[in-house]
């Protein structure tokens, strides 16, 4: 992860596949420490394409995140 991650002030959902060899969950764990308003979910029994390998689990994580932050869609930038 890079030092610019600390500058992110928007909610961030990190999603990693349990068996992802290209971008392993340990990268997400590092990013989680850098981004103030981030959450990390690891999709079990999935690799790099967790959205295709475990679509129900992936969509559940994404839907929960989007619902939790739906109020931000109506907020003008900078407010």
């Amino acid at each position: 992860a890079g030092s610019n991650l600390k500058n992110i002030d928007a909610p961030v959902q990190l999603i990693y596949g349990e068996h992802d060899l290209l971008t392993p969950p340990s990268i997400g764990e590092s990013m989680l420490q850098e981004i103030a308003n981030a959450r990390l979910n690891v999709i079990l029994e999935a690799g790099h394409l967790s959205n295709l390998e475990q679509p129900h689990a992936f969509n559940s994580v994404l839907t929960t995140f989007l619902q939790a932050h739906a109020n931000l869609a109506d907020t003008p930038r900078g407010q």
Side-chain angles (χ1 to χ4, degrees), residues 2 5 8 10 16 19-20 23 26 29 42 44 51 56 59 61 63-64 67-68 70-71:
L5 294 176
I8 297 173
Y16 285 79
H19 303 296
D20 190 340
T23 52
S26 60
E29 292 165 4
V42 177
L44 301 178
N51 59 320
H56 296 295
N59 289 340
V61 169
T63 299
T64 299
Q67 288 174 342
N71 63 314

Side-chain angles (χ1 to χ4, degrees), residues 2 13-14 17 24 29-30 35 40 42 50-51 56-58 63-66 69-70:
Q13 175 64 65
L14 303 166
E29 292 165 4
S30 295
I35 304 170
L40 170 66
V42 177
S50 59
N51 59 320
H56 296 295
F58 181 91
T63 299
T64 299
F65 175 76
L66 292 174
H69 301 290

Side-chain angles (χ1 to χ4, degrees), residues 18-37:
E18 175 185 27
H19 303 296
D20 190 340
L21 300 177
L22 185 61
T23 52
S26 60
I27 292 175
E29 292 165 4
S30 295
M31 292 177 72
L32 186 63
Q33 300 303 313
E34 299 288 322
I35 304 170
N37 195 11

